[in-house]
Amino acid sequence: MKDTTMANSVITSEHLQKAITYTQYREMIDKLLAENKTTGNDHSEAMVAYTRMNMHRMRRVEKTVLGNEMVQVMLSVQTPMTWVVLTEAWCGDAAQSLPTIVKIADASPLVEVKLLLRDENLDVMDAYLTNGGRSIPKLIALKTDTMEVLGTWGPRPEPAQRLYQEMKEQNLPFNEFAEKLHGWYAKDKSRSLQQELVTLINDWSKITAPEDMAYERCS
């Protein structure tokens, strides 16, 4: 989902200074789980169990192989971007998408990912609600030099969001709800996320076609 209504970001340099990398995020979660805790203030047995499950999900998604089109788009990016992602360790949707978002960003030397915990940054979260809710993960793409908001994505790929809405309207029990949603993610293997970001990145960044890029020749 792209947001073109906000040219100026509520995200400040102070937010970026306290943001963490994906590696730091994973290390933080490991330390919290060792203490039977998770991110945020709710350290209930259920929330810690969700977080443990999400660590397994992230490890699986980290094995995702990017499609050729996705790689080519990232190699063609000409606009330095900072992708700020709102997340929490207990969020299943974040676990399913965040590792792929990071891998996509890593395919370009001009894109950097910075993570903010949602519940510690509600001022940012409340500027990027989804249908009035604080749904995560939420990716906010900024032009690095000006902090201009180029667009957003999240909290789910469109097919997953439609499934979510349908199940919500059916008022399914949580266990059945979660099983169907995460079953969708397992079958999709991040393909929908990649397809959506290919389209969005073409809007967010100046793209140079591979045939127009200058290459140094080896002698």
Side-chain angles (χ1 to χ4, degrees):
M1 182 188 307
K2 180 178 65 172
D3 181 354
T4 59
T5 63
M6 187 177 295
N8 297 316
S9 176
V10 299
I11 299 171
T12 65
S13 58
E14 286 75 19
H15 289 114
L16 296 183
Q17 287 170 7
K18 69 177 180 178
I20 59 177
T21 66
Y22 181 68
T23 298
Q24 291 170 328
Y25 179 68
R26 293 278 267 103
E27 291 173 348
M28 175 184 66
I29 297 172
D30 282 336
K31 290 178 181 178
L32 287 169
L33 285 175
E35 302 172 359
N36 287 315
K37 294 180 179 180
T38 184
T39 57
N41 297 317
D42 185 350
H43 304 294
S44 64
E45 184 177 341
M47 294 294 272
V48 172
Y50 296 150
T51 302
R52 292 191 191 282
M53 177 62 73
N54 286 337
M55 289 297 279
H56 291 295
R57 288 168 175 152
M58 285 192 285
R59 283 193 288 269
R60 186 187 68 247
V61 178
E62 285 167 1
K63 299 176 184 177
T64 297
V65 176
L66 300 183
N68 183 64
E69 184 180 13
M70 184 80 261
V71 172
Q72 290 303 315
V73 166
M74 295 310 293
L75 291 175
S76 302
V77 164
Q78 298 296 300
T79 303
M81 289 185 284
T82 301
W83 291 359
V84 177
V85 184
L86 293 162
T87 185
E88 290 284 351
W90 43 259
C91 176
D93 290 295
Q96 295 284 11
S97 294
L98 182 56
T100 303
I101 291 171
V102 172
K103 182 166 284 193
I104 290 170
D106 285 347
S108 169
L110 297 182
V111 181
E112 182 179 15
V113 174
K114 292 181 176 289
L115 307 182
L116 291 174
L117 295 180
R118 183 195 73 172
D119 293 351
E120 294 179 6
N121 297 277
L122 293 179
D123 54 337
V124 178
M125 181 73 262
D126 287 347
Y128 298 100
L129 302 177
T130 301
N131 299 324
R134 291 170 170 170
S135 300
I136 51 176
K138 195 72 172 186
L139 185 165
I140 304 109
L142 305 176
K143 192 174 181 182
T144 300
D145 57 350
T146 64
M147 296 285 284
E148 174 191 356
V149 178
L150 299 170
T152 70
W153 178 91
R156 304 174 185 89
E158 289 296 338
Q161 183 68 7
R162 289 195 299 269
L163 176 62
Y164 173 87
Q165 292 295 342
E166 291 169 4
M167 293 191 295
K168 189 175 180 180
E169 291 169 4
Q170 295 168 12
N171 199 28
L172 292 182
F174 177 79
N175 288 343
E176 183 179 353
F177 188 109
E179 182 179 355
K180 288 187 175 182
L181 183 59
H182 290 290
W184 179 90
Y185 278 114
K187 291 179 181 178
D188 184 74
K189 299 183 185 300
S190 299
R191 287 187 289 262
S192 294
L193 169 57
Q194 293 185 53
Q195 290 168 1
E196 291 176 14
L197 284 181
V198 163
T199 299
L200 290 173
I201 292 164
N202 273 283
D203 289 338
W204 296 347
S205 171
K206 178 182 178 183
I207 299 293
T208 298
E211 59 268 22
D212 295 332
M213 298 177 70
Y215 295 96
E216 290 188 9
R217 296 183 179 274
C218 296
S219 56

